[in-house]
């Protein structure tokens, strides 16, 4: 397959149908995380979730944002598509800020910053780039699976690739 094949929003939407159906729903985190527990640390305490998401010291575990978009995860040939960011901005990230987070947004807000909203924006953009490239690194397949099963992927417990994905479950 030619990884540099030009695709448009319509084709990307067809490829990313499971993610887009999730994003177009009106409600997130209404039930406890229902995906696999294997290779996952499931947390229900928002303080623990915030610690994994925000601690970038690297002392106890890998920095979540640095890990998930590193060159260790994405190969050199991966092509980041700027038009995805443009289209997401244009449609306000599927109006994410107007969705019902069933209290998870309140639980995961610190100093006026809603962590769940910020991280979902970033994750949506990366996941759509994975669909556009027809390439999902293992960790991003796991992140997608977590979202689709009412969990919020918020960190990594350990040193990648050892360790486990940290998932916040709202209930």
């Amino acid at each position: 397959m030619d990884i540099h094949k030009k695709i448009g929003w319509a084709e990307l939407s067809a490829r990313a149908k499971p993610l887009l159906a999730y994003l177009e729903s009106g409600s997130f985190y209404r039930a406890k995380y229902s995906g696999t527990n294997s290779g996952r640390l499931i947390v229900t305490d928002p303080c623990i979730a915030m610690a994994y998401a925000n601690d970038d010291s690297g002392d106890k575990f890998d920095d979540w944002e640095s890990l998930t978009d590193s060159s260790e995860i994405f190969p050199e040939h991966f092509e980041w598509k700027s038009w995805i960011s443009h289209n997401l901005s244009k449609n306000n990230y599927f109006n994410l800020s107007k969705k019902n987070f069933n209290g998870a947004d309140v639980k995961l807000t610190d100093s006026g910053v809603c962590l769940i909203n910020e991280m979902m924006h970033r994750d949506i953009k990366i996941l759509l780039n994975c669909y556009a490239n027809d390439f999902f690194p293992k960790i991003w397949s796991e992140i997608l699976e977590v979202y689709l099963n009412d969990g919020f992927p918020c960190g990594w417990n350990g040193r990648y690739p050892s360790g486990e994905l940290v998932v916040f479950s709202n209930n």
Side-chain angles (χ1 to χ4, degrees):
M1 177 183 153
D2 179 10
I3 61 168
H4 297 290
K5 176 186 171 213
K6 302 249 186 230
I7 70 167
W9 189 256
E11 185 176 341
L12 177 61
S13 296
R15 287 183 185 182
K17 193 170 190 155
L19 175 63
L20 298 186
Y22 168 78
L23 294 172
E24 290 168 348
S25 74
S27 182
F28 304 117
Y29 314 113
R30 62 188 166 276
K32 71 179 189 173
Y33 169 66
S34 62
T36 182
N37 289 346
S38 177
R40 310 277 194 277
L41 172 62
I42 312 303
V43 300
T44 56
D45 183 334
C47 293
I48 294 172
M50 296 281 276
Y52 275 101
N54 288 327
D55 186 340
D56 61 2
S57 69
D59 292 340
K60 299 176 193 168
F61 41 79
D62 284 335
D63 167 39
W64 182 233
E65 285 191 48
S66 296
L67 166 66
T68 53
D69 62 8
S70 72
S71 59
E72 181 180 342
I73 301 296
F74 289 100
E76 199 172 298
H77 70 269
F78 193 88
E79 186 179 333
W80 296 97
K81 314 240 185 250
S82 61
W83 58 267
I84 290 175
S85 297
H86 172 75
N87 278 293
L88 285 171
S89 293
K90 196 165 79 174
N91 79 14
N92 197 23
Y93 284 79
F94 298 89
N95 289 315
L96 196 62
S97 63
K98 295 181 180 177
K99 306 288 180 165
N100 179 358
F101 287 86
N102 293 290
D105 52 339
V106 175
K107 292 175 188 174
L108 297 174
T109 294
D110 185 33
S111 301
V113 177
C114 179
L115 174 76
I116 211 164
N117 200 351
E118 296 283 321
M119 289 180 70
M120 282 184 74
H121 277 84
R122 174 188 172 273
D123 292 352
I124 292 165
K125 183 170 39 176
I126 293 173
L127 286 165
L128 288 175
N129 272 280
C130 290
Y131 278 111
N133 280 272
D134 200 22
F135 177 81
F136 274 83
K138 183 178 185 301
I139 194 168
W140 281 98
S141 292
E142 293 176 23
I143 289 168
L144 176 61
E145 184 267 333
V146 166
Y147 276 120
L148 297 180
N149 286 285
D150 254 344
F152 175 60
C154 58
W156 189 263
N157 184 35
R159 302 286 175 213
Y160 189 82
S162 297
E164 57 196 349
L165 183 62
V166 179
V167 177
F168 174 73
S169 180
N170 195 32
N171 293 307

